[in-house]
Amino acid sequence: MKKHIVVLSGAGMSAESGLKTFRDSNGLWEGHDVMSVASPEGFAKNPALVLDFYNQRRRQLLEVEPNQAHLNLAQLENDFKVSIITQNVDDLHERAGSTNVIHLHGELLKSRNVETDAVIYDCKTDICLDDKDPNGIQLRPHIVWFGEAVPLIDKALDICQTADILIIIGTSLQVYPAASLMHYVPEHIPKFYIDNNPAPTHDASIKVIAERASIGVSKVIKELLK
Ligand code: APR
C-alpha cells in the first residue's frame, strides 16, 4: 500500500515559473489593491477592471511552464499516493503531470456565471463585459474571492486526515481556512515546510526547509526515498 503524501501549495510553488506571489509584491497585485480586484465588492464596483485583471493573469499563465518543483511532485506519484491541495489558481501542477489536484481558491482557466458556481466552463480566453453563459447570464472567473465561501474546504480537510506525510510549499500561511489545513493531519506524521522565507509555524514538529521550491522539494524527495 503506497503511503499518502498531502501537499499544501501556495504562490511560492509557481514563483520559479515566473508567476508573481501575492505578498512578495508589497501587497499589490500587478499594481492593484487586492480588494479592488479579488472581492465581490470590487467586481460590483468595477467589473471591467476585475475581468481585465484576470485576463492579464490568464494570458500570462498560458506563456509560462511548470518548474522543476512541479515536475518532481508529479514524479512522486510513481512511489506514493499524492494529493495536492493548492491555493494557486494556475494549472501548473496538472501540466507537470500531477493527477490529483484540488484548487481551494478556484482556477484561472475556468469560468462560471455571476449567479452560481454550479456550472463551470473551460476558459482559455479573455472574459469581457457582456460575455454570457448559455442562460444569458454574465460570465466571471471561477476564482474564490475574498469573503466568498471555499467550496472544497471540507474535501481538503478529509484528505488531510488521511495523510501519512505532509509537505507545505511556498505559502505565507496567512489566508484562512487554507492555512488551518496543516492542523488536520495526524499528529505524529513527518511534516515539511519548504519556503525561501518561511512564516512561523508554531509547530516544532514541522521540519522547515528555507529554500526555494525547486531545491526544497528535491531535498525532501531524497529524504523520503532514502
Ligand atoms: N520558493 C519557495 N517559496 C517561495 C518562493 C520560491 N521561489 N518565492 C516566494 N516564496 C514564498 C514566500 O516566502 C511566501 O511565504 O511563497 C509564499 C507566498 O506567500 P503569498 O504571496 O502570501 O501567497 P499564498 O500564501 O499562496 O497566498 C494565499 O492569499 O492572496 C490570497 O487567494 C490568494 O491563494 C492566495 C492566498
Side-chain angles (χ1 to χ4, degrees), residues 43-113:
F43 184 68
K45 190 165 163 223
N46 190 340
L49 171 74
V50 174
L51 292 175
D52 182 59
F53 174 74
Y54 287 99
N55 290 343
Q56 303 296 335
R57 292 182 62 200
R58 191 177 302 106
R59 286 185 208 148
Q60 184 196 27
L61 175 55
L62 297 173
E63 301 294 317
V64 301
E65 296 296 327
N67 62 57
Q68 197 54 48
H70 293 108
L71 296 167
N72 286 347
L73 285 184
Q75 287 300 312
L76 268 182
E77 293 188 16
N78 298 329
D79 300 292
F80 297 90
K81 175 187 175 195
V82 182
S83 299
I84 295 187
I85 301 169
T86 187
Q87 297 170 88
N88 299 340
V89 295
D90 64 56
D91 65 337
L92 297 176
H93 280 301
E94 291 91 336
R95 276 201 260 154
S98 289
T99 59
N100 188 10
V101 183
I102 68 167
H103 291 266
L104 287 179
H105 296 162
E107 298 180 63
L108 203 46
L109 300 183
K110 300 269 173 61
S111 65
R112 41 159 290 192
N113 76 36

Side-chain angles (χ1 to χ4, degrees), residues 10-12 21-24 29 87 105 170-172 175 195-196 212-213:
T21 64
F22 297 99
R23 288 166 188 83
D24 287 352
W29 286 9
Q87 297 170 88
H105 296 162
T171 173
S172 61
V175 173
D195 193 297
N196 64 355
R212 65 178 195 274

